[in-house]
Amino acid sequence: MSFDVDTVRADFPAMSLTAHGKPLVFLDSAASAQKPRQVLDAMRTFYETSYANVHRGLYELSERATTAYEESREKVRRFINAADSKEIVFTSGATDSINTVAFSWGAQHLSAGDEVILSQAEHHSNIVPWQLLRERKGFTIKVVPVSDRGEFDFAAYERMLSDKTKLVAVMHVSNVLGSVFPVKAITAAAHKAGAAVLIDGCQGATHLPVDMQDIGCDFYAFSGHKLYGPTGIGVLYGRAAVLEKTNPFRGGGDMIRSVSFEKSEWADIPARFEAGTPPIVQAVGLGHAVDYVSKIGMSAVAGRERELCAALQDGVLSVGGFRVIGTAPDKAGVVSFVSDFAHPQDIAMILDQEGICVRTGHHCAQPLHERFGISVSVRASLGVYNTLEDIEKLVAALHKVKRFFA
Ligand code: PMP
């Protein structure tokens, strides 16, 4: 399955930009994706025609805003095939979604003697919240290793599971390795052991079709800005049966049924987890971003990105002197690499001169870099607008790097 990439590129104003006088080659979508005109226009139109606070006013404009906000929730539900739109909590981003699980569900259910299982590849956003909570609760964190190719070590994971395991929190797709983790099997094994499952889907929902009812996880987190939507909006999917038994950790706004100085009662889900004025326009923008990618079709996105990702990896390796970090057979959208002769920062500087945007650093995955014996890497990542030509330009620029440094 494929789609017309020229039509897609024409939707993204950023695809016509230049940098250092060269046409922009944007290979940093894993950090944040560019936005199509459809999302930008929809947000502007909403501000101009339908903007008011949601859930509060008994006037038409506020009702219009509320309808648009709730329609976005339903679009997200459909996008990830959740069973019910009340399972969709709007947050400020994936980091906020994971912190919400930690400090609501986790604070309620985790205590000394319990074990939380993470993987070695996790983004800091799925490590640090658990460490913060561990300081309060005294549970133990166990870490599933990844193989030399960057695969989730399922056998090690199975050996780690026990009746002490209360939560398994792992990523769907690594933002460094690109590896796709077997989240359905991970979830099934965790549930068999009686543990809950949180999937960090930040790079999953953007590159692959995702289906909450198929994966079966209890929580799934992702960010709007990596899915061609605005910043400031994220999603926490929570299985209704689990969310309904979870207390909020942020108070204020619409998250209550009643308040008195003696006692407050919580609203139903999902409002219970959306304290304060929510990111209304951002939620509307995310709804339109979901419309946008759904129209292309996530299977088509995944299929095209798989081909490009293979070409990207082969291209980087073809130059010689570059080592790819993570060569799992099942990869999505991301290729990270280091070189024998140039520091990642020097590589990025030369690429920048060619108009090529890549990321250098630890990509918020320091333990993973340490596992591969490095401190930083260069990461090229794909979006719906990337082409084989982008990859050819990157490869040509890497030859330049080699000529310069080797
Ligand atoms: N998890 C993964 C796998 C990510 O790639 C990112 C973003 N780089 C995050 C979590 C955090 O996302 P955000 O900064 O949008 O909260």
mmCIF file of all heavy atoms in Angstrom, residues 30-31 93-96 98 123 125 171 173 175 200 202-203 223 225-226 379, ligand 1:
data_model
loop_
_atom_site.group_PDB
_atom_site.id
_atom_site.type_symbol
_atom_site.label_atom_id
_atom_site.label_comp_id
_atom_site.label_asym_id
_atom_site.label_seq_id
_atom_site.Cartn_x
_atom_site.Cartn_y
_atom_site.Cartn_z
ATOM 1 N N ALA A 30 10.861 12.213 14.773
ATOM 2 C CA ALA A 30 10.730 11.490 16.041
ATOM 3 C C ALA A 30 10.777 12.474 17.207
ATOM 4 O O ALA A 30 10.223 12.213 18.283
ATOM 5 C CB ALA A 30 11.826 10.445 16.187
ATOM 6 N N ALA A 31 11.449 13.609 17.006
ATOM 7 C CA ALA A 31 11.465 14.641 18.054
ATOM 8 C C ALA A 31 10.156 15.412 18.023
ATOM 9 O O ALA A 31 9.509 15.621 19.052
ATOM 10 C CB ALA A 31 12.648 15.577 17.852
ATOM 11 N N GLY A 93 0.868 15.768 26.989
ATOM 12 C CA GLY A 93 1.837 15.042 26.164
ATOM 13 C C GLY A 93 2.103 13.674 26.768
ATOM 14 O O GLY A 93 1.588 13.348 27.844
ATOM 15 N N ALA A 94 2.926 12.899 26.087
ATOM 16 C CA ALA A 94 3.206 11.540 26.559
ATOM 17 C C ALA A 94 3.840 11.556 27.949
ATOM 18 O O ALA A 94 3.503 10.735 28.809
ATOM 19 C CB ALA A 94 4.137 10.835 25.577
ATOM 20 N N THR A 95 4.751 12.501 28.169
ATOM 21 C CA THR A 95 5.404 12.586 29.482
ATOM 22 C C THR A 95 4.359 12.809 30.568
ATOM 23 O O THR A 95 4.386 12.167 31.629
ATOM 24 C CB THR A 95 6.426 13.744 29.481
ATOM 25 O OG1 THR A 95 7.369 13.492 28.435
ATOM 26 C CG2 THR A 95 7.155 13.872 30.800
ATOM 27 N N ASP A 96 3.436 13.705 30.290
ATOM 28 C CA ASP A 96 2.362 13.981 31.248
ATOM 29 C C ASP A 96 1.477 12.749 31.419
ATOM 30 O O ASP A 96 1.039 12.438 32.543
ATOM 31 C CB ASP A 96 1.547 15.179 30.735
ATOM 32 C CG ASP A 96 0.536 15.669 31.746
ATOM 33 O OD1 ASP A 96 0.843 15.625 32.957
ATOM 34 O OD2 ASP A 96 -0.561 16.082 31.338
ATOM 35 N N ILE A 98 2.349 9.601 31.184
ATOM 36 C CA ILE A 98 3.050 8.594 31.997
ATOM 37 C C ILE A 98 3.098 9.046 33.458
ATOM 38 O O ILE A 98 2.862 8.255 34.377
ATOM 39 C CB ILE A 98 4.463 8.329 31.432
ATOM 40 C CG1 ILE A 98 4.341 7.714 30.030
ATOM 41 C CG2 ILE A 98 5.261 7.406 32.362
ATOM 42 C CD1 ILE A 98 5.638 7.671 29.232
ATOM 43 N N HIS A 123 12.665 5.658 27.149
ATOM 44 C CA HIS A 123 12.860 7.110 27.155
ATOM 45 C C HIS A 123 12.850 7.563 28.618
ATOM 46 O O HIS A 123 12.160 6.955 29.451
ATOM 47 C CB HIS A 123 11.684 7.720 26.392
ATOM 48 C CG HIS A 123 11.785 9.180 26.120
ATOM 49 N ND1 HIS A 123 11.500 10.133 27.070
ATOM 50 C CD2 HIS A 123 12.118 9.863 24.995
ATOM 51 C CE1 HIS A 123 11.647 11.334 26.527
ATOM 52 N NE2 HIS A 123 12.027 11.198 25.282
ATOM 53 N N SER A 125 11.308 9.697 29.977
ATOM 54 C CA SER A 125 9.922 9.961 30.417
ATOM 55 C C SER A 125 9.236 8.719 30.966
ATOM 56 O O SER A 125 8.200 8.826 31.624
ATOM 57 C CB SER A 125 9.085 10.502 29.251
ATOM 58 O OG SER A 125 9.541 11.779 28.892
ATOM 59 N N MET A 171 8.085 0.616 26.084
ATOM 60 C CA MET A 171 7.742 1.379 24.888
ATOM 61 C C MET A 171 7.230 0.466 23.771
ATOM 62 O O MET A 171 7.505 -0.732 23.761
ATOM 63 C CB MET A 171 8.944 2.188 24.416
ATOM 64 C CG MET A 171 10.110 1.345 24.004
ATOM 65 S SD MET A 171 11.748 2.143 24.125
ATOM 66 C CE MET A 171 11.496 3.857 23.995
ATOM 67 N N VAL A 173 7.646 1.467 20.302
ATOM 68 C CA VAL A 173 8.726 1.580 19.316
ATOM 69 C C VAL A 173 9.815 2.441 19.940
ATOM 70 O O VAL A 173 9.521 3.516 20.485
ATOM 71 C CB VAL A 173 8.217 2.256 18.015
ATOM 72 C CG1 VAL A 173 9.377 2.500 17.050
ATOM 73 C CG2 VAL A 173 7.138 1.407 17.340
ATOM 74 N N ASN A 175 12.607 5.100 20.337
ATOM 75 C CA ASN A 175 12.903 6.374 19.672
ATOM 76 C C ASN A 175 14.375 6.483 19.273
ATOM 77 O O ASN A 175 14.770 7.469 18.668
ATOM 78 C CB ASN A 175 12.512 7.564 20.572
ATOM 79 C CG ASN A 175 13.306 7.612 21.853
ATOM 80 O OD1 ASN A 175 13.450 6.599 22.531
ATOM 81 N ND2 ASN A 175 13.832 8.763 22.208
ATOM 82 N N ASP A 200 4.344 2.955 26.398
ATOM 83 C CA ASP A 200 4.722 4.291 25.923
ATOM 84 C C ASP A 200 4.656 4.229 24.391
ATOM 85 O O ASP A 200 5.564 3.716 23.743
ATOM 86 C CB ASP A 200 6.132 4.627 26.418
ATOM 87 C CG ASP A 200 6.664 5.910 25.781
ATOM 88 O OD1 ASP A 200 5.935 6.533 24.977
ATOM 89 O OD2 ASP A 200 7.818 6.268 26.083
ATOM 90 N N CYS A 202 4.608 6.654 22.208
ATOM 91 C CA CYS A 202 4.990 7.920 21.576
ATOM 92 C C CYS A 202 5.454 7.734 20.136
ATOM 93 O O CYS A 202 5.113 8.526 19.262
ATOM 94 C CB CYS A 202 6.122 8.525 22.397
ATOM 95 S SG CYS A 202 5.838 10.228 22.717
ATOM 96 N N GLN A 203 6.248 6.679 19.891
ATOM 97 C CA GLN A 203 6.711 6.418 18.524
ATOM 98 C C GLN A 203 5.907 5.282 17.900
ATOM 99 O O GLN A 203 6.166 4.891 16.765
ATOM 100 C CB GLN A 203 8.210 6.052 18.510
ATOM 101 C CG GLN A 203 9.109 7.042 19.201
ATOM 102 C CD GLN A 203 9.240 8.362 18.444
ATOM 103 O OE1 GLN A 203 8.897 8.459 17.267
ATOM 104 N NE2 GLN A 203 9.714 9.393 19.120
ATOM 105 N N SER A 223 1.931 11.465 22.255
ATOM 106 C CA SER A 223 1.908 12.931 22.150
ATOM 107 C C SER A 223 1.313 13.370 20.828
ATOM 108 O O SER A 223 1.602 12.768 19.784
ATOM 109 C CB SER A 223 3.333 13.487 22.221
ATOM 110 O OG SER A 223 3.876 13.288 23.487
ATOM 111 N N HIS A 225 2.082 16.175 19.199
ATOM 112 C CA HIS A 225 3.021 16.892 18.316
ATOM 113 C C HIS A 225 3.865 15.975 17.456
ATOM 114 O O HIS A 225 4.438 16.424 16.459
ATOM 115 C CB HIS A 225 3.909 17.843 19.134
ATOM 116 C CG HIS A 225 4.900 17.151 20.021
ATOM 117 N ND1 HIS A 225 6.201 16.957 19.652
ATOM 118 C CD2 HIS A 225 4.772 16.602 21.254
ATOM 119 C CE1 HIS A 225 6.848 16.329 20.640
ATOM 120 N NE2 HIS A 225 5.997 16.103 21.612
ATOM 121 N N LYS A 226 3.950 14.709 17.810
ATOM 122 C CA LYS A 226 4.695 13.771 16.955
ATOM 123 C C LYS A 226 3.780 13.160 15.906
ATOM 124 O O LYS A 226 4.223 12.441 15.022
ATOM 125 C CB LYS A 226 5.317 12.673 17.811
ATOM 126 C CG LYS A 226 6.392 13.193 18.756
ATOM 127 C CD LYS A 226 6.984 12.085 19.570
ATOM 128 C CE LYS A 226 7.594 12.593 20.849
ATOM 129 N NZ LYS A 226 9.008 12.919 20.737
ATOM 130 N N ARG A 379 20.551 10.810 15.041
ATOM 131 C CA ARG A 379 19.303 10.101 14.733
ATOM 132 C C ARG A 379 18.607 10.747 13.545
ATOM 133 O O ARG A 379 18.349 11.948 13.541
ATOM 134 C CB ARG A 379 18.367 10.142 15.938
ATOM 135 C CG ARG A 379 17.038 9.426 15.665
ATOM 136 C CD ARG A 379 16.119 9.487 16.861
ATOM 137 N NE ARG A 379 15.560 10.806 17.043
ATOM 138 C CZ ARG A 379 14.847 11.185 18.096
ATOM 139 N NH1 ARG A 379 14.632 10.333 19.084
ATOM 140 N NH2 ARG A 379 14.363 12.405 18.192
HETATM 141 N N1 PMP B 1 8.595 8.379 24.920
HETATM 142 C C1 PMP B 1 9.191 8.283 23.725
HETATM 143 C C2 PMP B 1 9.484 6.934 23.170
HETATM 144 C C3 PMP B 1 9.515 9.438 23.015
HETATM 145 O O1 PMP B 1 10.107 9.324 21.825
HETATM 146 C C4 PMP B 1 9.219 10.697 23.585
HETATM 147 C C5 PMP B 1 9.600 11.968 22.852
HETATM 148 N N2 PMP B 1 10.911 11.974 22.348
HETATM 149 C C6 PMP B 1 8.580 10.738 24.814
HETATM 150 C C7 PMP B 1 8.281 9.568 25.453
HETATM 151 C C8 PMP B 1 8.207 12.042 25.444
HETATM 152 O O2 PMP B 1 7.292 12.721 24.673
HETATM 153 P P1 PMP B 1 6.888 14.234 25.030
HETATM 154 O O3 PMP B 1 8.160 14.993 25.127
HETATM 155 O O4 PMP B 1 6.057 14.653 23.864
HETATM 156 O O5 PMP B 1 6.126 14.186 26.304
#
